Amino acid sequence: MLKYSALKKLLKDHQLRVTDCRLDVLQLFKSRGHALTSRYLEDELTSYDRVTLFRTLNSFIEKGVVHKIPDDSGIARYGICGHSCAPAAHHHDHVHFKCSSCGHVDCLSDYTVPTVTIPGYLIQESNMILNGVCKSCNQ
Amino acid sequence: MLKYSALKKLLKDHQLRVTDCRLDVLQLFKSRGHALTSRYLEDELTSYDRVTLFRTLNSFIEKGVVHKIPDDSGIARYGICGHSCAPAAHHHDHVHFKCSSCGHVDCLSDYTVPTVTIPGYLIQESNMILNGVCKSCNQ
DNA sequence: ACAATAACTGCAATGATGTTGCAAACATGA
DNA sequence: TCATGTTTGCAACATCATTGCAGTTATTGT
């Protein structure tokens, strides 16, 4: 459970107004270790409108608080960004892992995406999603 | 334009019944070089019901004819599989590239996803999606 | 070639998710 | 505290994914 002051600071640092909804969403991201779906937010924070949560996520993405994670399931997941993200530039060169056992998607912040170069192609961003069994489930 | 016999063989090889819809969808995948959305199929093949195309894609995935490509846009794309795919095991260790200029998603069959090992994690599948400007648009 | 069977298709309907406009409520800086 | 611009909730709509069912079609064995 993060302190209110810390959450508030995080929002202010990203040029976001401090509201109940944003604090609760942020709290949820911080308390869970893994990426969240908008559906999960809706189920957990029933006091807020679905649209509000949707717009909260969008503003969080825009300001560099969270990032969207590609997934072949078609359901968008959002992971909280590291320290280095700003509205101007997101830096998500870390690997994502989807566990087929618990279903969680984790941001593996310590693992950077390997560089790939392809002749004739200009590569601006790299995403890597691994599928398998995560540490917790693999024991 | 692939010969009818070749398309037919491809379907039979994957334990799929030969139907008009499947032949047309397959033809479309073969003639376009890049990954397709279900929306595109609907627009191109208006003589078939949307549900039929949906189920055609699903059966193609199940039998290893095409594979679903993760994308943070939320719109599913499908790429035709290489020779090595079977119902039992898909092998898509190639890199995917999404061009921000033309919007196409290409399967870069010649580029395999770099191996990443993470202690404690069992990795069963690796996906890599690059974003940038493709060869055609980069000239 | 033909019948039996299992698979495929179209239609209707439903659910989930993403998205916008607008008016009321709220956070912020002066 | 006030003025301002931002955020929220509601309603509505668009898109996509998915299922059931009945009619049609492809395939297998004879």
PDB file of all heavy atoms in Angstrom, chain A residues 17 19 21-22 47-49 51-52 55, chain D residues 4-13:
ATOM      1  N   ARG A  17      -3.917  15.978 -12.996  1.00  0.00           N
ATOM      2  CA  ARG A  17      -4.631  16.450 -11.818  1.00  0.00           C
ATOM      3  C   ARG A  17      -4.908  15.288 -10.878  1.00  0.00           C
ATOM      4  O   ARG A  17      -5.114  14.149 -11.321  1.00  0.00           O
ATOM      5  CB  ARG A  17      -5.956  17.093 -12.230  1.00  0.00           C
ATOM      6  CG  ARG A  17      -5.746  18.385 -12.980  1.00  0.00           C
ATOM      7  CD  ARG A  17      -7.004  19.189 -13.004  1.00  0.00           C
ATOM      8  NE  ARG A  17      -6.737  20.514 -13.541  1.00  0.00           N
ATOM      9  CZ  ARG A  17      -7.604  21.497 -13.560  1.00  0.00           C
ATOM     10  NH1 ARG A  17      -8.811  21.303 -13.078  1.00  0.00           N
ATOM     11  NH2 ARG A  17      -7.283  22.665 -14.055  1.00  0.00           N
ATOM     12  N   THR A  19      -7.106  13.213  -8.733  1.00  0.00           N
ATOM     13  CA  THR A  19      -8.519  12.909  -8.483  1.00  0.00           C
ATOM     14  C   THR A  19      -8.627  11.545  -7.816  1.00  0.00           C
ATOM     15  O   THR A  19      -7.693  10.744  -7.865  1.00  0.00           O
ATOM     16  CB  THR A  19      -9.331  12.879  -9.797  1.00  0.00           C
ATOM     17  OG1 THR A  19      -8.887  11.775 -10.595  1.00  0.00           O
ATOM     18  CG2 THR A  19      -9.160  14.168 -10.581  1.00  0.00           C
ATOM     19  N   CYS A  21     -10.354   8.947  -8.643  1.00  0.00           N
ATOM     20  CA  CYS A  21     -10.261   7.850  -9.590  1.00  0.00           C
ATOM     21  C   CYS A  21      -8.816   7.537  -9.944  1.00  0.00           C
ATOM     22  O   CYS A  21      -8.388   6.387  -9.923  1.00  0.00           O
ATOM     23  CB  CYS A  21     -11.065   8.185 -10.850  1.00  0.00           C
ATOM     24  SG  CYS A  21     -11.020   6.908 -12.108  1.00  0.00           S
ATOM     25  N   ARG A  22      -8.066   8.573 -10.252  1.00  0.00           N
ATOM     26  CA  ARG A  22      -6.668   8.372 -10.641  1.00  0.00           C
ATOM     27  C   ARG A  22      -5.835   7.803  -9.506  1.00  0.00           C
ATOM     28  O   ARG A  22      -4.959   6.966  -9.718  1.00  0.00           O
ATOM     29  CB  ARG A  22      -6.090   9.692 -11.139  1.00  0.00           C
ATOM     30  CG  ARG A  22      -6.664  10.068 -12.478  1.00  0.00           C
ATOM     31  CD  ARG A  22      -6.222  11.423 -12.962  1.00  0.00           C
ATOM     32  NE  ARG A  22      -6.812  11.712 -14.263  1.00  0.00           N
ATOM     33  CZ  ARG A  22      -6.692  12.869 -14.893  1.00  0.00           C
ATOM     34  NH1 ARG A  22      -6.003  13.844 -14.352  1.00  0.00           N
ATOM     35  NH2 ARG A  22      -7.257  13.042 -16.073  1.00  0.00           N
ATOM     36  N   SER A  47     -17.057   1.798  -8.298  1.00  0.00           N
ATOM     37  CA  SER A  47     -17.657   3.101  -8.000  1.00  0.00           C
ATOM     38  C   SER A  47     -17.435   4.111  -9.122  1.00  0.00           C
ATOM     39  O   SER A  47     -18.045   5.168  -9.147  1.00  0.00           O
ATOM     40  CB  SER A  47     -17.105   3.658  -6.694  1.00  0.00           C
ATOM     41  OG  SER A  47     -15.704   3.825  -6.792  1.00  0.00           O
ATOM     42  N   TYR A  48     -16.556   3.736 -10.072  1.00  0.00           N
ATOM     43  CA  TYR A  48     -16.308   4.655 -11.181  1.00  0.00           C
ATOM     44  C   TYR A  48     -16.935   4.136 -12.467  1.00  0.00           C
ATOM     45  O   TYR A  48     -17.019   2.929 -12.693  1.00  0.00           O
ATOM     46  CB  TYR A  48     -14.800   4.858 -11.393  1.00  0.00           C
ATOM     47  CG  TYR A  48     -14.118   5.413 -10.172  1.00  0.00           C
ATOM     48  CD1 TYR A  48     -13.270   4.613  -9.419  1.00  0.00           C
ATOM     49  CD2 TYR A  48     -14.342   6.725  -9.771  1.00  0.00           C
ATOM     50  CE1 TYR A  48     -12.654   5.110  -8.290  1.00  0.00           C
ATOM     51  CE2 TYR A  48     -13.734   7.226  -8.627  1.00  0.00           C
ATOM     52  CZ  TYR A  48     -12.885   6.422  -7.897  1.00  0.00           C
ATOM     53  OH  TYR A  48     -12.292   6.904  -6.774  1.00  0.00           O
ATOM     54  N   ASP A  49     -17.324   5.060 -13.287  1.00  0.00           N
ATOM     55  CA  ASP A  49     -17.918   4.715 -14.570  1.00  0.00           C
ATOM     56  C   ASP A  49     -16.859   4.078 -15.474  1.00  0.00           C
ATOM     57  O   ASP A  49     -15.675   4.398 -15.397  1.00  0.00           O
ATOM     58  CB  ASP A  49     -18.476   5.979 -15.222  1.00  0.00           C
ATOM     59  CG  ASP A  49     -19.346   5.651 -16.420  1.00  0.00           C
ATOM     60  OD1 ASP A  49     -20.514   5.298 -16.220  1.00  0.00           O
ATOM     61  OD2 ASP A  49     -18.840   5.718 -17.557  1.00  0.00           O
ATOM     62  N   VAL A  51     -16.423   4.513 -18.585  1.00  0.00           N
ATOM     63  CA  VAL A  51     -15.823   5.529 -19.450  1.00  0.00           C
ATOM     64  C   VAL A  51     -14.734   6.303 -18.721  1.00  0.00           C
ATOM     65  O   VAL A  51     -13.696   6.625 -19.294  1.00  0.00           O
ATOM     66  CB  VAL A  51     -16.893   6.492 -19.971  1.00  0.00           C
ATOM     67  CG1 VAL A  51     -16.266   7.569 -20.829  1.00  0.00           C
ATOM     68  CG2 VAL A  51     -17.953   5.737 -20.751  1.00  0.00           C
ATOM     69  N   THR A  52     -14.976   6.567 -17.461  1.00  0.00           N
ATOM     70  CA  THR A  52     -13.993   7.300 -16.666  1.00  0.00           C
ATOM     71  C   THR A  52     -12.703   6.504 -16.550  1.00  0.00           C
ATOM     72  O   THR A  52     -11.605   7.042 -16.718  1.00  0.00           O
ATOM     73  CB  THR A  52     -14.547   7.594 -15.260  1.00  0.00           C
ATOM     74  OG1 THR A  52     -15.737   8.359 -15.401  1.00  0.00           O
ATOM     75  CG2 THR A  52     -13.545   8.350 -14.429  1.00  0.00           C
ATOM     76  N   ARG A  55     -10.924   6.633 -19.823  1.00  0.00           N
ATOM     77  CA  ARG A  55     -10.234   7.902 -20.049  1.00  0.00           C
ATOM     78  C   ARG A  55      -9.053   8.080 -19.102  1.00  0.00           C
ATOM     79  O   ARG A  55      -8.051   8.706 -19.444  1.00  0.00           O
ATOM     80  CB  ARG A  55     -11.221   9.052 -19.913  1.00  0.00           C
ATOM     81  CG  ARG A  55     -12.126   9.147 -21.136  1.00  0.00           C
ATOM     82  CD  ARG A  55     -12.843  10.474 -21.186  1.00  0.00           C
ATOM     83  NE  ARG A  55     -14.181  10.377 -20.649  1.00  0.00           N
ATOM     84  CZ  ARG A  55     -15.279  10.837 -21.274  1.00  0.00           C
ATOM     85  NH1 ARG A  55     -15.183  11.421 -22.439  1.00  0.00           N
ATOM     86  NH2 ARG A  55     -16.455  10.709 -20.730  1.00  0.00           N
TER      87      ARG A  55
ATOM     88  P    DT D   4     -12.858  33.517 -15.980  1.00  0.00           P
ATOM     89  OP1  DT D   4     -12.283  34.517 -16.904  1.00  0.00           O
ATOM     90  OP2  DT D   4     -14.307  33.225 -15.964  1.00  0.00           O
ATOM     91  O5'  DT D   4     -12.066  32.156 -16.173  1.00  0.00           O
ATOM     92  C5'  DT D   4     -10.637  32.126 -15.979  1.00  0.00           C
ATOM     93  C4'  DT D   4     -10.156  30.685 -16.083  1.00  0.00           C
ATOM     94  O4'  DT D   4     -10.542  29.967 -14.900  1.00  0.00           O
ATOM     95  C3'  DT D   4     -10.763  29.919 -17.255  1.00  0.00           C
ATOM     96  O3'  DT D   4      -9.760  29.697 -18.238  1.00  0.00           O
ATOM     97  C2'  DT D   4     -11.260  28.602 -16.656  1.00  0.00           C
ATOM     98  C1'  DT D   4     -10.733  28.624 -15.237  1.00  0.00           C
ATOM     99  N1   DT D   4     -11.689  28.045 -14.233  1.00  0.00           N
ATOM    100  C2   DT D   4     -11.255  27.066 -13.385  1.00  0.00           C
ATOM    101  O2   DT D   4     -10.120  26.644 -13.399  1.00  0.00           O
ATOM    102  N3   DT D   4     -12.196  26.603 -12.510  1.00  0.00           N
ATOM    103  C4   DT D   4     -13.521  27.001 -12.415  1.00  0.00           C
ATOM    104  O4   DT D   4     -14.273  26.522 -11.595  1.00  0.00           O
ATOM    105  C5   DT D   4     -13.907  28.033 -13.346  1.00  0.00           C
ATOM    106  C7   DT D   4     -15.310  28.543 -13.337  1.00  0.00           C
ATOM    107  C6   DT D   4     -12.992  28.502 -14.208  1.00  0.00           C
ATOM    108  P    DG D   5     -10.170  28.972 -19.654  1.00  0.00           P
ATOM    109  OP1  DG D   5      -9.471  29.704 -20.727  1.00  0.00           O
ATOM    110  OP2  DG D   5     -11.639  28.792 -19.705  1.00  0.00           O
ATOM    111  O5'  DG D   5      -9.506  27.536 -19.515  1.00  0.00           O
ATOM    112  C5'  DG D   5      -8.290  27.356 -18.769  1.00  0.00           C
ATOM    113  C4'  DG D   5      -8.238  25.928 -18.233  1.00  0.00           C
ATOM    114  O4'  DG D   5      -9.240  25.761 -17.207  1.00  0.00           O
ATOM    115  C3'  DG D   5      -8.537  24.854 -19.291  1.00  0.00           C
ATOM    116  O3'  DG D   5      -7.620  23.789 -19.104  1.00  0.00           O
ATOM    117  C2'  DG D   5      -9.968  24.437 -18.981  1.00  0.00           C
ATOM    118  C1'  DG D   5     -10.012  24.607 -17.475  1.00  0.00           C
ATOM    119  N9   DG D   5     -11.352  24.816 -16.920  1.00  0.00           N
ATOM    120  C8   DG D   5     -12.334  25.653 -17.408  1.00  0.00           C
ATOM    121  N7   DG D   5     -13.428  25.636 -16.689  1.00  0.00           N
ATOM    122  C5   DG D   5     -13.160  24.721 -15.670  1.00  0.00           C
ATOM    123  C6   DG D   5     -13.965  24.277 -14.589  1.00  0.00           C
ATOM    124  O6   DG D   5     -15.110  24.615 -14.300  1.00  0.00           O
ATOM    125  N1   DG D   5     -13.290  23.351 -13.807  1.00  0.00           N
ATOM    126  C2   DG D   5     -12.016  22.909 -14.020  1.00  0.00           C
ATOM    127  N2   DG D   5     -11.539  22.011 -13.167  1.00  0.00           N
ATOM    128  N3   DG D   5     -11.247  23.313 -15.024  1.00  0.00           N
ATOM    129  C4   DG D   5     -11.882  24.212 -15.806  1.00  0.00           C
ATOM    130  P    DT D   6      -7.646  22.497 -20.008  1.00  0.00           P
ATOM    131  OP1  DT D   6      -6.275  22.262 -20.475  1.00  0.00           O
ATOM    132  OP2  DT D   6      -8.770  22.626 -20.965  1.00  0.00           O
ATOM    133  O5'  DT D   6      -8.020  21.343 -18.965  1.00  0.00           O
ATOM    134  C5'  DT D   6      -7.405  21.364 -17.684  1.00  0.00           C
ATOM    135  C4'  DT D   6      -8.023  20.295 -16.801  1.00  0.00           C
ATOM    136  O4'  DT D   6      -9.336  20.714 -16.353  1.00  0.00           O
ATOM    137  C3'  DT D   6      -8.214  18.936 -17.468  1.00  0.00           C
ATOM    138  O3'  DT D   6      -7.693  17.959 -16.586  1.00  0.00           O
ATOM    139  C2'  DT D   6      -9.724  18.821 -17.649  1.00  0.00           C
ATOM    140  C1'  DT D   6     -10.248  19.659 -16.500  1.00  0.00           C
ATOM    141  N1   DT D   6     -11.583  20.289 -16.705  1.00  0.00           N
ATOM    142  C2   DT D   6     -12.593  20.024 -15.804  1.00  0.00           C
ATOM    143  O2   DT D   6     -12.455  19.290 -14.831  1.00  0.00           O
ATOM    144  N3   DT D   6     -13.781  20.658 -16.065  1.00  0.00           N
ATOM    145  C4   DT D   6     -14.051  21.514 -17.112  1.00  0.00           C
ATOM    146  O4   DT D   6     -15.160  22.024 -17.238  1.00  0.00           O
ATOM    147  C5   DT D   6     -12.959  21.738 -18.016  1.00  0.00           C
ATOM    148  C7   DT D   6     -13.148  22.647 -19.194  1.00  0.00           C
ATOM    149  C6   DT D   6     -11.786  21.128 -17.779  1.00  0.00           C
ATOM    150  P    DT D   7      -7.655  16.436 -16.964  1.00  0.00           P
ATOM    151  OP1  DT D   7      -6.474  15.862 -16.312  1.00  0.00           O
ATOM    152  OP2  DT D   7      -7.849  16.311 -18.424  1.00  0.00           O
ATOM    153  O5'  DT D   7      -8.955  15.867 -16.226  1.00  0.00           O
ATOM    154  C5'  DT D   7      -9.065  16.054 -14.818  1.00  0.00           C
ATOM    155  C4'  DT D   7     -10.405  15.540 -14.339  1.00  0.00           C
ATOM    156  O4'  DT D   7     -11.459  16.388 -14.834  1.00  0.00           O
ATOM    157  C3'  DT D   7     -10.764  14.115 -14.784  1.00  0.00           C
ATOM    158  O3'  DT D   7     -11.115  13.385 -13.627  1.00  0.00           O
ATOM    159  C2'  DT D   7     -11.927  14.306 -15.748  1.00  0.00           C
ATOM    160  C1'  DT D   7     -12.553  15.582 -15.216  1.00  0.00           C
ATOM    161  N1   DT D   7     -13.351  16.393 -16.177  1.00  0.00           N
ATOM    162  C2   DT D   7     -14.648  16.727 -15.852  1.00  0.00           C
ATOM    163  O2   DT D   7     -15.192  16.383 -14.817  1.00  0.00           O
ATOM    164  N3   DT D   7     -15.304  17.494 -16.801  1.00  0.00           N
ATOM    165  C4   DT D   7     -14.789  17.948 -17.990  1.00  0.00           C
ATOM    166  O4   DT D   7     -15.465  18.625 -18.750  1.00  0.00           O
ATOM    167  C5   DT D   7     -13.437  17.558 -18.270  1.00  0.00           C
ATOM    168  C7   DT D   7     -12.791  17.990 -19.552  1.00  0.00           C
ATOM    169  C6   DT D   7     -12.785  16.801 -17.361  1.00  0.00           C
ATOM    170  P    DT D   8     -11.416  11.834 -13.702  1.00  0.00           P
ATOM    171  OP1  DT D   8     -10.893  11.224 -12.458  1.00  0.00           O
ATOM    172  OP2  DT D   8     -10.976  11.355 -15.019  1.00  0.00           O
ATOM    173  O5'  DT D   8     -12.999  11.803 -13.642  1.00  0.00           O
ATOM    174  C5'  DT D   8     -13.671  12.356 -12.506  1.00  0.00           C
ATOM    175  C4'  DT D   8     -15.172  12.355 -12.745  1.00  0.00           C
ATOM    176  O4'  DT D   8     -15.482  13.281 -13.806  1.00  0.00           O
ATOM    177  C3'  DT D   8     -15.760  11.009 -13.157  1.00  0.00           C
ATOM    178  O3'  DT D   8     -16.658  10.576 -12.138  1.00  0.00           O
ATOM    179  C2'  DT D   8     -16.480  11.278 -14.478  1.00  0.00           C
ATOM    180  C1'  DT D   8     -16.585  12.802 -14.517  1.00  0.00           C
ATOM    181  N1   DT D   8     -16.485  13.428 -15.874  1.00  0.00           N
ATOM    182  C2   DT D   8     -17.526  14.208 -16.327  1.00  0.00           C
ATOM    183  O2   DT D   8     -18.535  14.401 -15.684  1.00  0.00           O
ATOM    184  N3   DT D   8     -17.324  14.748 -17.584  1.00  0.00           N
ATOM    185  C4   DT D   8     -16.221  14.594 -18.389  1.00  0.00           C
ATOM    186  O4   DT D   8     -16.154  15.131 -19.492  1.00  0.00           O
ATOM    187  C5   DT D   8     -15.172  13.766 -17.854  1.00  0.00           C
ATOM    188  C7   DT D   8     -13.916  13.531 -18.650  1.00  0.00           C
ATOM    189  C6   DT D   8     -15.355  13.225 -16.634  1.00  0.00           C
ATOM    190  P    DG D   9     -17.254   9.105 -12.099  1.00  0.00           P
ATOM    191  OP1  DG D   9     -17.444   8.718 -10.695  1.00  0.00           O
ATOM    192  OP2  DG D   9     -16.423   8.276 -12.988  1.00  0.00           O
ATOM    193  O5'  DG D   9     -18.694   9.284 -12.763  1.00  0.00           O
ATOM    194  C5'  DG D   9     -19.642  10.142 -12.142  1.00  0.00           C
ATOM    195  C4'  DG D   9     -20.867  10.269 -13.013  1.00  0.00           C
ATOM    196  O4'  DG D   9     -20.538  11.023 -14.197  1.00  0.00           O
ATOM    197  C3'  DG D   9     -21.465   8.943 -13.491  1.00  0.00           C
ATOM    198  O3'  DG D   9     -22.861   8.967 -13.232  1.00  0.00           O
ATOM    199  C2'  DG D   9     -21.147   8.904 -14.982  1.00  0.00           C
ATOM    200  C1'  DG D   9     -21.047  10.384 -15.339  1.00  0.00           C
ATOM    201  N9   DG D   9     -20.129  10.695 -16.431  1.00  0.00           N
ATOM    202  C8   DG D   9     -18.868  10.184 -16.621  1.00  0.00           C
ATOM    203  N7   DG D   9     -18.267  10.674 -17.674  1.00  0.00           N
ATOM    204  C5   DG D   9     -19.192  11.568 -18.213  1.00  0.00           C
ATOM    205  C6   DG D   9     -19.104  12.402 -19.356  1.00  0.00           C
ATOM    206  O6   DG D   9     -18.165  12.511 -20.161  1.00  0.00           O
ATOM    207  N1   DG D   9     -20.268  13.148 -19.545  1.00  0.00           N
ATOM    208  C2   DG D   9     -21.365  13.100 -18.733  1.00  0.00           C
ATOM    209  N2   DG D   9     -22.386  13.893 -19.072  1.00  0.00           N
ATOM    210  N3   DG D   9     -21.466  12.332 -17.652  1.00  0.00           N
ATOM    211  C4   DG D   9     -20.344  11.594 -17.454  1.00  0.00           C
ATOM    212  P    DC D  10     -23.791   7.691 -13.385  1.00  0.00           P
ATOM    213  OP1  DC D  10     -24.737   7.695 -12.271  1.00  0.00           O
ATOM    214  OP2  DC D  10     -22.928   6.513 -13.648  1.00  0.00           O
ATOM    215  O5'  DC D  10     -24.597   8.014 -14.728  1.00  0.00           O
ATOM    216  C5'  DC D  10     -25.236   9.297 -14.862  1.00  0.00           C
ATOM    217  C4'  DC D  10     -25.627   9.530 -16.299  1.00  0.00           C
ATOM    218  O4'  DC D  10     -24.464   9.916 -17.069  1.00  0.00           O
ATOM    219  C3'  DC D  10     -26.229   8.312 -17.014  1.00  0.00           C
ATOM    220  O3'  DC D  10     -27.550   8.627 -17.425  1.00  0.00           O
ATOM    221  C2'  DC D  10     -25.298   8.064 -18.189  1.00  0.00           C
ATOM    222  C1'  DC D  10     -24.626   9.425 -18.376  1.00  0.00           C
ATOM    223  N1   DC D  10     -23.283   9.370 -18.988  1.00  0.00           N
ATOM    224  C2   DC D  10     -22.983  10.223 -20.065  1.00  0.00           C
ATOM    225  O2   DC D  10     -23.843  11.005 -20.465  1.00  0.00           O
ATOM    226  N3   DC D  10     -21.743  10.167 -20.625  1.00  0.00           N
ATOM    227  C4   DC D  10     -20.845   9.306 -20.149  1.00  0.00           C
ATOM    228  N4   DC D  10     -19.650   9.295 -20.727  1.00  0.00           N
ATOM    229  C5   DC D  10     -21.133   8.427 -19.056  1.00  0.00           C
ATOM    230  C6   DC D  10     -22.354   8.487 -18.509  1.00  0.00           C
ATOM    231  P    DA D  11     -28.507   7.468 -17.990  1.00  0.00           P
ATOM    232  OP1  DA D  11     -29.870   7.775 -17.530  1.00  0.00           O
ATOM    233  OP2  DA D  11     -27.910   6.146 -17.700  1.00  0.00           O
ATOM    234  O5'  DA D  11     -28.432   7.714 -19.558  1.00  0.00           O
ATOM    235  C5'  DA D  11     -28.548   9.047 -20.073  1.00  0.00           C
ATOM    236  C4'  DA D  11     -28.200   9.051 -21.542  1.00  0.00           C
ATOM    237  O4'  DA D  11     -26.765   9.084 -21.709  1.00  0.00           O
ATOM    238  C3'  DA D  11     -28.698   7.831 -22.326  1.00  0.00           C
ATOM    239  O3'  DA D  11     -29.434   8.259 -23.456  1.00  0.00           O
ATOM    240  C2'  DA D  11     -27.432   7.081 -22.684  1.00  0.00           C
ATOM    241  C1'  DA D  11     -26.400   8.195 -22.730  1.00  0.00           C
ATOM    242  N9   DA D  11     -25.027   7.744 -22.478  1.00  0.00           N
ATOM    243  C8   DA D  11     -24.603   6.885 -21.502  1.00  0.00           C
ATOM    244  N7   DA D  11     -23.312   6.656 -21.526  1.00  0.00           N
ATOM    245  C5   DA D  11     -22.854   7.421 -22.596  1.00  0.00           C
ATOM    246  C6   DA D  11     -21.581   7.620 -23.140  1.00  0.00           C
ATOM    247  N6   DA D  11     -20.481   7.030 -22.676  1.00  0.00           N
ATOM    248  N1   DA D  11     -21.483   8.449 -24.206  1.00  0.00           N
ATOM    249  C2   DA D  11     -22.583   9.027 -24.678  1.00  0.00           C
ATOM    250  N3   DA D  11     -23.841   8.927 -24.249  1.00  0.00           N
ATOM    251  C4   DA D  11     -23.907   8.094 -23.188  1.00  0.00           C
ATOM    252  P    DA D  12     -30.185   7.209 -24.416  1.00  0.00           P
ATOM    253  OP1  DA D  12     -31.495   7.788 -24.730  1.00  0.00           O
ATOM    254  OP2  DA D  12     -30.085   5.845 -23.817  1.00  0.00           O
ATOM    255  O5'  DA D  12     -29.289   7.225 -25.729  1.00  0.00           O
ATOM    256  C5'  DA D  12     -28.569   8.402 -26.102  1.00  0.00           C
ATOM    257  C4'  DA D  12     -27.435   8.013 -27.021  1.00  0.00           C
ATOM    258  O4'  DA D  12     -26.291   7.633 -26.236  1.00  0.00           O
ATOM    259  C3'  DA D  12     -27.747   6.820 -27.933  1.00  0.00           C
ATOM    260  O3'  DA D  12     -27.770   7.248 -29.277  1.00  0.00           O
ATOM    261  C2'  DA D  12     -26.609   5.835 -27.663  1.00  0.00           C
ATOM    262  C1'  DA D  12     -25.565   6.688 -26.979  1.00  0.00           C
ATOM    263  N9   DA D  12     -24.699   5.941 -26.052  1.00  0.00           N
ATOM    264  C8   DA D  12     -25.084   5.170 -24.995  1.00  0.00           C
ATOM    265  N7   DA D  12     -24.083   4.611 -24.351  1.00  0.00           N
ATOM    266  C5   DA D  12     -22.961   5.046 -25.049  1.00  0.00           C
ATOM    267  C6   DA D  12     -21.589   4.809 -24.876  1.00  0.00           C
ATOM    268  N6   DA D  12     -21.099   4.036 -23.908  1.00  0.00           N
ATOM    269  N1   DA D  12     -20.742   5.407 -25.745  1.00  0.00           N
ATOM    270  C2   DA D  12     -21.238   6.165 -26.718  1.00  0.00           C
ATOM    271  N3   DA D  12     -22.510   6.468 -26.986  1.00  0.00           N
ATOM    272  C4   DA D  12     -23.321   5.871 -26.098  1.00  0.00           C
ATOM    273  P    DC D  13     -28.199   6.219 -30.456  1.00  0.00           P
ATOM    274  OP1  DC D  13     -28.937   6.989 -31.453  1.00  0.00           O
ATOM    275  OP2  DC D  13     -28.790   5.014 -29.826  1.00  0.00           O
ATOM    276  O5'  DC D  13     -26.797   5.802 -31.078  1.00  0.00           O
ATOM    277  C5'  DC D  13     -25.813   6.818 -31.324  1.00  0.00           C
ATOM    278  C4'  DC D  13     -24.473   6.167 -31.601  1.00  0.00           C
ATOM    279  O4'  DC D  13     -23.897   5.673 -30.369  1.00  0.00           O
ATOM    280  C3'  DC D  13     -24.554   4.965 -32.549  1.00  0.00           C
ATOM    281  O3'  DC D  13     -23.723   5.215 -33.661  1.00  0.00           O
ATOM    282  C2'  DC D  13     -24.060   3.790 -31.705  1.00  0.00           C
ATOM    283  C1'  DC D  13     -23.197   4.492 -30.672  1.00  0.00           C
ATOM    284  N1   DC D  13     -22.996   3.717 -29.421  1.00  0.00           N
ATOM    285  C2   DC D  13     -21.680   3.433 -29.017  1.00  0.00           C
ATOM    286  O2   DC D  13     -20.744   3.832 -29.712  1.00  0.00           O
ATOM    287  N3   DC D  13     -21.478   2.731 -27.877  1.00  0.00           N
ATOM    288  C4   DC D  13     -22.523   2.318 -27.146  1.00  0.00           C
ATOM    289  N4   DC D  13     -22.267   1.635 -26.037  1.00  0.00           N
ATOM    290  C5   DC D  13     -23.860   2.596 -27.535  1.00  0.00           C
ATOM    291  C6   DC D  13     -24.054   3.303 -28.670  1.00  0.00           C
TER     292       DC D  13
END
